[in-house]
Amino acid sequence: MRILVLAGGSAALAAFIALAATQAPLGSPLFLAIVAVPAVVYALLARRLLTLNTSESRGLLIVALAFAAAFRVPLQIRAVDTKSDMVRYIYDGRLQRLGYNPYLVDPADPALAGTHTDETRQMPSIRARTPYPAAAQWFFRLVVTIHESPRTMKLALVACDMLTIAVLVAWLRSTSRSPWLALMYAWNPLVILEIAHSGHIDALGALWIAVSAWMLSTGRRMRAAMAFVLAVATKLLPIVLLPLFWRRIRVRDAMAGIVVLALLYLPFASAGTLPLGAVPNVVDYIRFNGPLFKFFAWLLAPRAAAAIAVFAGLGIAARMRSTASADDPAAWGWPMAVSLACAPVVYPWYLLYLTPFLFARSCGALVVWTFTALPIYAVWDLARHGHRWFVPAPLVAIEYGIVAVVAVTSSVRSRRP
């Protein structure tokens, strides 16, 4: 393990420095070649962590966690493109500081020209209302209040990322498991790229759902319910985990969660209804890397396909509630994974919600998904060269086919005597 941490960590760090220094465009051949280095290192580490009992020294673990922090540093230097989602985050935060309800604002409205900067005028979503739920909106406002810049926003998201690592170490220790398993998240290339490189709000949601799992599995039920509400109010995907809380929390815990939800949305009540962001529009019109949704929408209808995605996740969670303990990472990761696989849009960063739960063999297929999602970055490079905005069939087959094979194989092996 010492050689893997020191040599592998050094190689991965060199790769991330090279990625920052070269400014390789997302998905370009150079980008993918550089990312292959930390991916190989992580594969070797994951194999070691998931197949062997690791009882190395505490000092070596500290070195490994220090490497995890170092991996994220060079990517902070990279300039933020105006097409980044972080530009929209900043705009939503600024709107709130100026007294506007972001759910009522059309950024392209000429009457709102004074709310823009040169950066926000170029954001791709300028003709769309905000897609982000209330907890995300509060986060945007907080960061913009501290300092309004894309780099500050990225630093705040990386802070969430580092807090997630700390939560995982604490959760693993409190449930008598090796804290080394936190490296399954901390060294994951997809996590590092989507937060330190690209800066996605899913980092905040991943933090809250990890906190909720930690709290629930250690008997702190009210905190678990409140953290769960904050995760759902960052992005809606964790809603399918609701059955995990059945008869594990008290009525007053559930009421505390409802109060938190009401307080989050109260300032945005002028929108008239509970703001769902862009969910209805996504279900009806937007498609990206969602082959299962595409099939069900063709067979039935888009709204019916969306219902299948939701109920599939809820069904898996209900099954996990009766067969798995609250501290089983599979009980948290698999319901979201199944629901996401059936979604109309599956960007690589959507997998961030799954990544705190990769530290069990039963989640091996989810670990594999964080690898097979990496080639999807090629779509961004293809689009820069005039390709239409869709994932080529071979990439879809690679991404989902390998995951399906691993999932089926693992299921068969787990049932053998």
Side-chain angles (χ1 to χ4, degrees):
M1 180 61 83
R2 180 176 295 274
I3 294 175
L4 180 56
V5 168
L6 298 179
S10 298
L13 179 58
F16 288 123
I17 292 173
L19 191 62
T22 60
Q23 297 286 297
L26 184 67
S28 66
L30 177 59
F31 178 95
L32 294 174
I34 294 173
V35 168
V37 175
V40 170
V41 171
Y42 180 73
L44 296 173
L45 178 70
R47 181 179 179 276
R48 177 66 183 267
L49 292 175
L50 295 180
T51 59
L52 299 173
N53 291 324
T54 302
S55 56
E56 299 288 341
S57 69
R58 183 171 180 269
L60 187 60
L61 175 60
I62 292 174
V63 171
L65 293 173
F67 265 120
F71 295 159
R72 290 149 170 86
V73 172
L75 301 180
Q76 296 289 313
I77 303 170
R78 188 182 179 94
V80 177
D81 190 272
T82 54
K83 295 181 179 179
S84 168
D85 287 348
M86 285 183 285
V87 177
R88 182 59 190 247
Y89 304 165
I90 292 169
Y91 182 69
D92 281 4
R94 184 190 307 123
L95 283 176
Q96 294 174 71
R97 293 201 69 204
L98 293 174
Y100 292 95
N101 184 338
Y103 294 106
L104 295 176
V105 167
D106 179 356
D109 187 345
L112 297 173
T115 65
H116 283 285
T117 64
D118 290 341
E119 286 181 328
T120 61
R121 288 189 186 94
Q122 300 177 61
M123 62 185 182
S125 61
I126 194 168
R127 300 190 180 279
R129 297 183 187 274
T130 184
Y132 302 107
Q137 294 294 341
W138 281 102
F139 181 82
F140 301 155
R141 179 169 184 167
L142 173 62
V143 174
V144 168
T145 300
I146 295 170
H147 184 67
E148 186 176 321
S149 74
R151 186 156 294 168
T152 302
M153 184 64 70
K154 186 187 282 190
L155 282 170
L157 292 167
V158 171
C160 294
D161 180 27
M162 298 306 295
L163 284 171
T164 302
I165 296 173
V167 166
L168 288 173
V169 170
W171 183 22
L172 289 163
R173 282 179 170 161
S174 64
T175 51
S176 302
R177 288 179 285 204
S178 171
W180 278 88
L181 292 170
L183 298 183
M184 291 297 298
Y185 172 91
W187 280 41
N188 187 288
L190 183 73
V191 172
I192 297 166
L193 290 171
E194 292 299 355
I195 302 175
H197 178 277
S198 300
H200 288 290
I201 190 60
D202 305 70
L204 177 63
L207 169 61
W208 285 127
I209 202 61
V211 170
S212 184
W214 175 31
M215 294 294 103
L216 188 63
S217 61
T218 53
R220 289 169 279 190
R221 295 170 288 184
M222 185 173 292
R223 297 178 192 179
M226 296 168 70
F228 174 70
V229 167
L230 288 165
V232 173
T234 301
K235 274 196 174 178
L236 297 177
L237 176 61
I239 192 69
V240 299
L241 297 175
L242 196 58
L244 297 183
F245 293 83
W246 175 249
R247 301 187 71 178
R248 282 179 175 154
I249 62 173
R250 301 159 296 189
V251 172
R252 64 174 177 266
D253 303 326
M255 293 304 298
I258 292 171
V259 169
V260 169
L261 184 65
L263 291 175
L264 286 171
Y265 276 100
L266 187 60
F268 308 110
S270 59
T273 59
L274 185 67
L276 293 176
V279 172
N281 185 60
V282 169
V283 169
D284 289 336
Y285 303 111
I286 301 178
R287 306 286 180 267
F288 183 84
N289 195 29
L292 290 177
F293 183 92
K294 186 176 180 180
F295 170 75
F296 288 125
W298 169 80
L299 186 66
L300 302 169
R303 298 292 175 99
I308 290 173
V310 173
F311 284 109
L314 289 170
I316 297 296
R319 174 65 176 169
M320 290 293 188
R321 173 60 186 87
S322 64
T323 61
S325 61
D327 66 353
D328 186 348
W332 298 83
W334 273 109
M336 292 190 290
V338 170
S339 187
L340 182 59
C342 297
V345 176
V346 187
Y347 288 119
W349 56 90
Y350 289 5
L351 273 64
L352 288 177
Y353 268 94
L354 316 180
T355 54
F357 308 108
L358 301 179
F359 58 85
R361 294 184 190 182
S362 54
C363 295
L366 305 187
V367 176
V368 170
W369 197 1
T370 67
F371 282 97
T372 61
L374 295 176
I376 302 302
Y377 291 136
V379 174
W380 277 258
D381 187 61
L382 291 171
R384 284 191 293 269
H385 293 86
H387 192 273
R388 290 175 55 201
W389 187 250
F390 71 93
V391 183
L395 290 183
V396 174
I398 290 171
E399 180 182 6
Y400 291 101
I402 294 176
V403 173
V405 169
V406 173
V408 171
T409 302
S410 299
S411 178
V412 171
R413 286 180 176 176
S414 67
R415 295 181 182 184
R416 288 178 181 173

